Structures are given as C-alpha cells and as structure tokens.
Amino acid sequence: MSEFNVKEIDKSEKPNGGSFLQTPFWCSFKARHGWTYRRFFIEENENKDGKECAVLNRNFCKGFFSIAYIPLFPKFKNPTEDFVIQLYKTAEALKPYLPKNTVALKFDPDIIFDTPELRDEFNKNAAVVSEKKHLNIKKNRVDIQPPDSTQVDLTCSVDEILEKMHSKWRYNIRLSQRKGVTVKKYTGSSVNLSEKVDKFYELTKETNARDGNSSHAKSYYLDLLKYSSEQISAGNDCPLVTLYIAEHEGEEIASIMTLFSHDEAIYLYGASSNKKRNLMPNHLLQWTAMQDAKEYGSKYYDMYGMPPEGKNENHPMHGLYMFKANFGGKNIHRAGTYDVPLKKSVYALFILAEKMRAFWHKVILKKIRGR
C-alpha cells in the first residue's frame, strides 16, 4: 500500500474546481463561526497526481475533543476497494497535522450515483472491504451534507429549462406572476439588509414550527451575506450570496438564500409563511434564482437536499420530493458521510451522542410538534 505525501499550502490558494464547500471563501466563513481550517496538497508516491483539499476542525466539550472534516472530497470513480484504501491513506497522511484531541476524520466523498440502490450497494461493499482489510472505515448513519439532491442544467436555453419542468410547475410560475407576486433581491451591500434578514428569520421560524426543522442563528445568515459582498468588493474571486424575498401586496411571504459560483449555483436555505401558499411564491422564487444563476454563468442549479425517493403519494416526504424533482433536474445520490476513527473509545461516545441528537430532532421534537 503506497503512501501519500502531504504539504500544507496557503489558505487563500484557489482549489482546482470542486464544490463551494472547498473554497477559501466558505472555509474562512466557517472559521468565523466556530471552526478552524487548513489547506493541504496531497499526492500519492506512485503517480504524483496531487489533489488539494481543505480540512476543517471543530472543538467540542470545551476542547475535550475535536472532529476534523473534509467536505466533498475526494472525487472518486474507481472500484470500492480503491475508495476505502484512499480514505484510509488520506487519513493516515493527515493525522500528524490534526489537533491531538481529534477523535475522527470525517469525509463527505464526492461520489455520485444515478440511483439510491447503486449508492446503497456501494456503501455495503465498502463496509465489507473495510472489515476484510481491517481498515476501520465507518459509514456514519448521520450525514453532514445532504447525500441526495437534484441539479437543473443551466447550460441550455431558458426555454429548454422551462420545457424540462413539469407542466404544472410552469403553470405555477405563471400563476404566481399573474396573481401579482414579485421577487426582490438583497446582497450583503444592500442598505436595508438587516431588516430583510430579520424577515427571513421570522419566516424561517414559521417554517421550522410547521416542518419540525432547525436552523442557524440569525447572525449566521446576516454574516454570510455580508462576508460574500465584502470579499467581492475587495476583488476576491468568491461566490455571490443573495437573499430573495417574494412579496404580495406589500406582504413578504417566502424567501430563499442562494450561492452562485462559476460552476454551481446552490439553493442554500428557504422559508415561507403559512399565508398565501396558494400563490405559489416558492415556485417563482426558484425560477427567478435559476435565471439569475444562468446569467451569472453557473453551469447547474443544485436544490441541495431532497429525499432519495418520494414519488409514491404515501411517502412521508412526498411533497418535498415532488417540489424539487419537478423542476426538471437530474437526481443525484452521493455516498454520504464516512468516518475514520482516530481515538476509538472517545469516538464510540461521540457516535452515541450523534445518534441521540439525531433521534431527538428527527423523532421526539417532530412528535411533540404533532408531526
């Protein structure tokens, strides 16, 4: 098993493509909210084919232990056995550079499958290989990034994008426009930004109460918008973060936040009121953002999270699945989060805490809220 060489590189160095999660902008933003990060160049001795990656780290329990995390890396297309070995070798190579209290290195590998079944089979085989080779690579049941999504192709014409949508979605967009719904846009440099983020947060709390979800603090959203504008104003090549708010007769009824880069446009966050849902403001918001993303130059618009399946009307997340899938994108399914434990005893306690937290939010709170 050949070794990997690791070299720390400048944090501001622009990565060669890849997800927004690997950009200096996103990593430095996360560093403003409890994380630290370093950037590395990793190459294998045999082929010298190096790759850059950002490694984030966060302390827990007042610094008693920490977790290291590599989002959307590595990009991989080869057999399962090679994948497992690469994760192990990457973790071993990076271990000397991580804080001594790091209990695990977590990966969200950039591997895309056409169906959930193919993904599940891959993960099953990875577990077999890990056990056979005694590499202790664990598929975590709690994924950090959404493993399932749908991506709308923005490289075709506007008419072609509309044509790929479900006919009812095109109708809903026109209905929203006809009923007088308008969409306004705000960036970090907008004069009334704080007021608009307040409204977005109000809608977020309303959405969370309805759907049983959780969200970031209001200051997190405000800082994300401001930091994007600050970096762009400074001449840095950084993604554009925008807040969209749908209004009807002076009432703000729905909102989304997006991130545009040269390769991808991401639907980061969304919220809506319980009122005037029949006006279909969410359809118009998404369509407005897609058109803006295309004009910006993004190649695709990522809905960034959806159920792996849900066409069946009896599925508990049928509504969310159909809302996102009917915009005409290609459904993708990633492998999900993998862990390489570095301190086995503490790691076991951490996983138990993760499971309890997930059970509290996904089961107990939803039952308390009547869902």
Side-chain angles (χ1 to χ4, degrees), residues 112-114 149-151 306 308 311 321 325 329-333:
I112 294 178
F113 302 89
D114 291 332
S149 189
T150 185
Q151 297 176 341
M306 66 185 293
K311 292 182 180 179
Y321 178 90
K330 174 181 172 56
N331 292 355
I332 64 167
H333 310 277

Side-chain angles (χ1 to χ4, degrees), residues 113-169:
F113 302 89
D114 291 332
T115 68
E117 291 76 19
L118 288 173
R119 182 259 311 284
D120 295 344
E121 182 67 20
F122 178 90
N123 286 338
K124 181 180 178 181
N125 291 338
V128 172
V129 172
S130 176
E131 184 175 357
K132 180 180 177 181
K133 292 187 172 292
H134 308 289
L135 296 180
N136 199 28
I137 308 295
K138 305 288 187 181
K139 172 66 186 74
N140 200 311
R141 292 185 179 181
V142 181
D143 295 311
I144 297 176
Q145 302 301 324
D148 304 281
S149 189
T150 185
Q151 297 176 341
V152 176
D153 181 10
L154 300 178
T155 61
C156 51
S157 69
V158 170
D159 288 341
E160 288 172 322
I161 297 172
L162 278 169
E163 184 60 30
K164 291 178 183 179
M165 291 184 196
H166 191 286
S167 59
K168 184 64 185 297
W169 264 229

Side-chain angles (χ1 to χ4, degrees), residues 3-159:
E3 300 299 323
F4 278 10
N5 291 323
V6 173
K7 179 178 69 174
E8 187 167 4
I9 59 177
D10 194 304
K11 286 182 178 181
S12 62
E13 191 165 330
K14 184 181 177 183
N16 296 321
S19 166
F20 77 98
L21 296 166
Q22 281 286 329
T23 62
F25 162 74
W26 189 259
C27 292
S28 57
F29 169 71
K30 298 300 288 187
R32 295 158 69 103
H33 295 270
W35 295 81
T36 59
Y37 88 97
R38 298 162 76 182
R39 189 173 293 279
F40 298 94
F41 183 82
I42 304 174
E43 64 178 4
E44 192 167 2
N45 286 346
E46 292 179 353
N47 57 29
K48 302 295 182 182
D49 182 20
K51 298 176 181 178
E52 300 168 21
C53 75
V55 181
L56 294 98
N57 192 274
R58 184 158 193 168
N59 283 315
F60 295 88
C61 297
K62 297 183 179 180
F64 176 69
F65 70 91
S66 68
I67 292 294
Y69 173 51
I70 306 181
L72 271 286
F73 178 91
K75 195 174 185 67
F76 213 78
K77 295 182 180 179
N78 292 332
T80 309
E81 183 170 329
D82 291 348
F83 162 73
V84 172
I85 291 173
Q86 181 166 341
L87 284 195
Y88 176 80
K89 290 195 295 185
T90 301
E92 284 295 300
L94 286 170
K95 186 176 178 180
Y97 295 87
L98 302 177
K100 295 187 182 300
N101 65 345
T102 305
V103 301
L105 177 55
K106 304 173 80 69
F107 293 85
D108 263 311
D110 191 7
I111 313 174
I112 294 178
F113 302 89
D114 291 332
T115 68
E117 291 76 19
L118 288 173
R119 182 259 311 284
D120 295 344
E121 182 67 20
F122 178 90
N123 286 338
K124 181 180 178 181
N125 291 338
V128 172
V129 172
S130 176
E131 184 175 357
K132 180 180 177 181
K133 292 187 172 292
H134 308 289
L135 296 180
N136 199 28
I137 308 295
K138 305 288 187 181
K139 172 66 186 74
N140 200 311
R141 292 185 179 181
V142 181
D143 295 311
I144 297 176
Q145 302 301 324
D148 304 281
S149 189
T150 185
Q151 297 176 341
V152 176
D153 181 10
L154 300 178
T155 61
C156 51
S157 69
V158 170
D159 288 341

